């Protein structure tokens, strides 16, 4: 019998995104079940900003509760208002 993988609960909020040459607000969704040490998520914002974040790769996301996450932006569709990331270790 196959076991279904459950996704950790989502943390949704408004934070601050920082990457090479940029610092500004962003909405986010983070899925992490182990105290934000690993996980995935999405950034929601202006397409041009998210495109630049994707090209930069490494970024920092400050959550609305004060946690700082180092992230790697792994996907963005040209013109889209979502970019997807993994929490970096």
């Amino acid at each position: 019998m196959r076991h279904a993988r459950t996704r950790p609960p989502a943390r949704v909020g408004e934070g601050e995104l920082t990457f090479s040459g940029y610092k500004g607000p962003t909405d986010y969704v983070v899925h992490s079940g182990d105290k934000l040490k690993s996980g995935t998520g999405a950034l929601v914002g202006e397409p041009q900003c998210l495109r630049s974040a994707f090209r930069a790769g490494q970024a920092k996301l400050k959550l609305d509760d004060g946690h700082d996450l180092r992230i790697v932006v792994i996907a963005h569709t040209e013109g889209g208002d979502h970019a997807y990331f993994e929490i970096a270790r």
Side-chain angles (χ1 to χ4, degrees), residues 54-71:
F54 173 65
R55 287 186 171 177
Q58 298 280 332
K60 185 175 100 174
L61 176 61
K62 186 174 192 91
L63 305 183
D64 57 6
D65 65 2
H67 282 92
D68 285 323
L69 301 180
R70 288 185 321 118
I71 63 172

Side-chain angles (χ1 to χ4, degrees), residues 7-11 29-41 63 69 85 87:
R7 187 174 218 178
R11 287 184 175 205
V29 177
V30 177
H31 297 277
S32 177
D34 58 356
K35 298 183 182 181
L36 299 173
K37 292 183 180 177
S38 67
T40 61
L63 305 183
L69 301 180
F85 66 86
I87 297 173

Side-chain angles (χ1 to χ4, degrees), residues 7-82:
R7 187 174 218 178
R11 287 184 175 205
V12 179
E14 296 175 16
E16 183 177 74
L17 179 64
T18 306
F19 60 89
S20 179
Y22 177 82
K23 185 175 187 177
T26 188
D27 293 335
Y28 63 83
V29 177
V30 177
H31 297 277
S32 177
D34 58 356
K35 298 183 182 181
L36 299 173
K37 292 183 180 177
S38 67
T40 61
L43 304 169
V44 182
E46 293 294 320
Q48 290 180 353
C49 171
L50 297 177
R51 177 182 184 206
S52 296
F54 173 65
R55 287 186 171 177
Q58 298 280 332
K60 185 175 100 174
L61 176 61
K62 186 174 192 91
L63 305 183
D64 57 6
D65 65 2
H67 282 92
D68 285 323
L69 301 180
R70 288 185 321 118
I71 63 172
V72 178
V73 182
I74 58 171
H76 175 254
T77 302
E78 188 68 34
D81 63 352
H82 284 72

